[in-house]
Amino acid sequence: MATPQDRQLVEQWRSIQTTYFRTAGAIDRALESRFNIGLTEFEILDLVAESEDAACRMKQLGERTPMTQSAMSKVVDRLDKAGLVSRHSCEDDRRSLFLELTDAGRALHREAAIEHRALLKENLA
Amino acid sequence: MATPQDRQLVEQWRSIQTTYFRTAGAIDRALESRFNIGLTEFEILDLVAESEDAACRMKQLGERTPMTQSAMSKVVDRLDKAGLVSRHSCEDDRRSLFLELTDAGRALHREAAIEHRALLKENLA
DNA sequence: TGTCATTCAATGACGTGTCATATAAGTTGG
DNA sequence: CCAACTTATATGACACGTCATTGAATGACA
């Protein structure tokens, strides 16, 4: 039934959950109030900022986050409407989309990343 | 700007996210398909099962999970409607609620816990 | 080339979480 | 004992994520 190993697994799991929710919540609230974007939006910005060179990225980005394809699509839509990224269709495969930070997006990312890293440091100690 | 320490923090964070989503997703799908309850429902069942003695537990349970009070209330509502727990109002403080597993709840929890522990083991290795 | 399958992204219906608030019960100070 | 405050839970509006599906482009191959 409830072996000691089971208990230890459950403890470990709850600890992950706690860390995850505490950290995600803190970052989300901070970004929301200071920059009007949520954590998921920032995470996409961050991925785009990291890969300012590759092409046709929408798909590849999806592979680097636990987000669903559908979730990605909606987040990118919000970022686009907020004027932080722009979508360009790929020359060689017109199904794919190529993402780029706008100047506003780049500026916001620069600021927000500082906050983001600081809160990670504070919460993952 | 992006110090090595920053990068390491971000890596660590993404790793937590990945583990969290992979594990939660696996458990949620399994419980959903085999027992018709989601992960959050199970987690409340699990907490109630653990504390089969204390009184007025709704509040205390809230302190042992990152869930919001409002979320708790709704999850418990679903569990109640599904006939897995029952709510009894407290004699000494009629604002508080006292939760109890029903027989069905206890039986389901017993089965589901096995699945839950197995998936934790598989994912948190 | 014409069909059939596959891949990329977007969308609508839906469930569940959050915030703000409501309701009800308890507490405290005059 | 009554106002004002606090605490425990429930609820409604709303935001966001998921699943299933669609539309469009590509690929594979007879």
Side-chain angles (χ1 to χ4, degrees):
Chain A
M1 219 146 284
T3 71
Q5 199 210 7
D6 276 355
R7 271 189 249 281
Q8 197 239 315
L9 270 174
V10 173
E11 283 315 305
Q12 187 188 346
W13 175 237
R14 285 187 188 156
S15 148
I16 291 175
Q17 286 186 303
T18 302
T19 303
Y20 178 73
F21 282 115
R22 181 172 23 79
T23 309
I27 299 175
D28 196 59
R29 278 186 294 279
L31 295 182
E32 199 75 64
S33 74
R34 296 181 207 187
F35 305 100
N36 270 298
I37 62 169
L39 174 55
T40 39
E41 279 83 10
F42 174 80
E43 282 173 340
I44 297 301
L45 278 189
D46 210 28
L47 285 178
V48 176
E50 267 177 12
S51 28
E52 284 271 38
D53 43 325
C56 303
R57 269 177 274 140
M58 188 100 174
K59 185 68 197 317
Q60 285 99 311
L61 255 50
E63 288 158 10
R64 308 181 49 188
T65 169
M67 260 182 267
T68 299
Q69 177 269 317
S70 150
M72 270 278 303
S73 177
K74 292 180 186 191
V75 174
V76 169
D77 210 53
R78 275 176 257 146
L79 287 171
D80 189 352
K81 274 167 186 143
L84 301 171
V85 305
S86 55
R87 289 182 269 207
H88 308 284
S89 74
C90 248
E91 290 302 304
D92 40 316
D93 183 347
R94 270 165 308 183
R95 291 168 303 180
S96 294
L97 283 186
F98 171 71
L99 299 185
E100 249 182 24
L101 291 183
T102 62
D103 290 346
R106 208 180 321 278
L108 188 149
H109 174 260
R110 199 175 299 124
E111 298 293 318
I114 296 171
E115 192 64 30
H116 182 251
R117 305 333 181 205
L119 286 167
L120 284 186
K121 193 170 179 179
E122 204 173 294
N123 282 277
L124 301 184
Chain B
M1 210 141 291
T3 72
Q5 200 209 6
D6 276 355
R7 270 190 250 280
Q8 196 239 314
L9 270 174
V10 173
E11 282 316 304
Q12 187 189 345
W13 174 237
R14 285 187 187 156
S15 150
I16 291 175
Q17 287 188 302
T18 302
T19 303
Y20 178 73
F21 282 116
R22 181 173 23 79
T23 309
I27 299 176
D28 196 59
R29 279 186 294 278
L31 295 181
E32 199 74 65
S33 74
R34 297 183 207 185
F35 305 100
N36 271 297
I37 63 169
L39 174 56
T40 40
E41 279 82 10
F42 174 80
E43 282 173 341
I44 296 301
L45 278 188
D46 210 28
L47 285 178
V48 176
E50 267 177 13
S51 28
E52 284 271 37
D53 45 325
C56 302
R57 270 178 275 136
M58 187 98 175
K59 187 67 198 318
Q60 286 99 307
L61 255 51
E63 289 158 10
R64 309 180 48 188
T65 168
M67 260 183 266
T68 298
Q69 176 269 316
S70 151
M72 270 277 303
S73 177
K74 292 181 184 188
V75 174
V76 170
D77 209 53
R78 274 176 256 145
L79 287 171
D80 190 353
K81 275 169 185 141
L84 301 172
V85 304
S86 55
R87 288 182 271 205
H88 307 285
S89 74
C90 248
E91 290 302 305
D92 41 315
D93 182 348
R94 269 167 308 184
R95 290 168 305 179
S96 293
L97 283 184
F98 172 71
L99 299 185
E100 250 182 20
L101 291 183
T102 62
D103 290 347
R106 209 181 318 279
L108 188 149
H109 174 259
R110 198 175 301 123
E111 298 293 319
I114 296 172
E115 191 64 29
H116 182 249
R117 305 333 180 204
L119 285 167
L120 284 186
K121 193 168 180 179
E122 204 173 291
N123 282 277
L124 301 185

